[in-house]
Amino acid sequence: MKRRLTIISIVAGALMLLTFIGSGAIAHLSGAQAAKPQCMNGFDDDSDGKVDYPADSGCSSRTDKIEYDADTTPPPPPPPPPTPGATSWNPHVDRTPVVTTIPFIIGNQLASCGGASEDGGGFPNHLDGTEGATQGQPIPSEIPSDIAFVQVNGVRLESTNRKLWGAGSDGDATTNASDPDRPDIGNIFMKGIHLELSRHWGTIQLDDRSILGPFLDPYPTQTVWPAAGTLVDVQGFVRWDALHDASTGHYCSGWEIHPVSAWRLHQ
């Protein structure tokens, strides 16, 4: 009789334990314990094989209500403000440039293609569209006085989106450029910009540092932009060209310095 009572007690205890465990699981699944943060509830809520803080990287603390891993990639750093201007290198451009940086021009707001959006740009007073009134333009007289005229120092010319003068229908000479001083920005789309020299009034600096230009037809025979990897200083007008905001060759952004009024080897 005593042995039978012992067996009954063991079975009853086991049933009580199973009932307790089952009720806890049911309560969790049913949301009865919803008030308990996921990062301390003892369950693998996001099914990644890690449970609660600090084992699960999706938990910032024990009181974190959500266990899943969010996107931890930081947004591009905010751009620095522009510095006071210098003087125009092109005698046909009687304006004072604002010395600035590529990240400030394009801003730090991502668009759907992965490049910079127009809304985040640092110069709302920019040109809009592809060209001026006629092919190979605009010329200075076409550009309103309030349009941002900038100088960007020490940009690195890239091998992408290059076109020599006369190679296309518009007569412009193009290249892409990026900011080599921002290794903290891993996405080149967010530290790069497209550069265009309009054929009728661009200037370039030769290897001996002499200035040639402004150019007129016929086109010069030499390559307008130096080799990819060269550091240059650039002056020109800020533009948004929406025709290219989905093109990877244009850094998935419409931002340009176009027209470039002059460039020189980086000083």
Side-chain angles (χ1 to χ4, degrees):
M1 181 69 178
K2 185 175 181 180
R3 181 179 178 185
R4 182 179 300 174
L5 290 175
T6 301
I7 293 173
I8 292 172
S9 298
I10 293 173
V11 172
L15 289 173
M16 290 177 63
L17 178 61
L18 289 172
T19 301
F20 174 77
I21 294 174
S23 63
I26 292 171
H28 171 72
L29 293 174
S30 64
Q33 293 182 348
K36 197 169 187 179
Q38 290 185 2
C39 289
M40 60 179 295
N41 63 6
F43 288 89
D44 183 10
D45 295 274
D46 57 357
S47 303
D48 64 352
K50 302 174 184 178
V51 179
D52 293 354
Y53 178 84
D56 196 311
S57 59
C59 295
S60 59
S61 69
R62 286 176 57 82
T63 58
D64 194 340
K65 295 180 181 180
I66 303 296
E67 196 175 75
Y68 70 88
D69 285 291
D71 183 6
T72 57
T73 303
T83 57
T87 58
S88 173
W89 308 324
N90 189 328
H92 294 261
V93 183
D94 186 18
R95 309 196 190 198
T96 301
V98 175
V99 182
T100 185
T101 65
I102 293 175
F104 184 85
I105 294 171
I106 69 175
N108 61 358
Q109 292 187 22
L110 282 170
S112 58
C113 182
S117 70
E118 182 179 10
D119 293 338
F123 293 97
N125 55 327
H126 56 264
L127 291 167
D128 190 17
T130 55
E131 293 293 343
T134 57
Q135 187 183 63
Q137 302 295 323
I139 59 175
S141 61
E142 290 184 308
I143 301 177
S145 60
D146 62 339
I147 294 298
F149 179 58
V150 299
Q151 176 178 326
V152 186
N153 296 325
V155 302
R156 181 178 59 221
L157 299 183
E158 304 295 343
S159 60
T160 54
N161 214 342
R162 289 200 155 212
K163 184 181 69 176
L164 302 184
W165 247 314
S169 60
D170 59 8
D172 292 344
T174 69
T175 186
N176 284 342
S178 66
D179 189 338
D181 294 328
R182 297 303 299 269
D184 52 318
I185 304 178
N187 179 4
I188 194 172
F189 289 3
M190 298 304 291
K191 60 181 177 181
I193 198 167
H194 183 66
L195 306 178
E196 290 203 22
L197 272 161
S198 288
R199 62 182 176 184
H200 287 292
W201 57 289
T203 64
I204 65 172
Q205 184 183 55
L206 303 181
D207 290 340
D208 63 1
R209 296 191 176 270
S210 62
I211 297 293
L212 181 62
F215 287 110
L216 300 172
D217 291 331
Y219 307 125
T221 57
Q222 77 273 13
T223 301
V224 173
W225 296 104
T230 304
L231 298 182
V232 301
D233 305 332
V234 176
Q235 289 184 345
F237 295 87
V238 179
R239 177 186 295 272
W240 173 266
D241 184 351
L243 288 180
H244 302 292
D245 62 359
S247 169
T248 56
H250 210 276
Y251 295 145
C252 278
S253 175
W255 288 116
E256 303 177 346
I257 299 179
H258 174 201
V260 169
S261 63
W263 68 265
R264 67 187 185 190
L265 297 175
H266 178 49
Q267 298 183 355

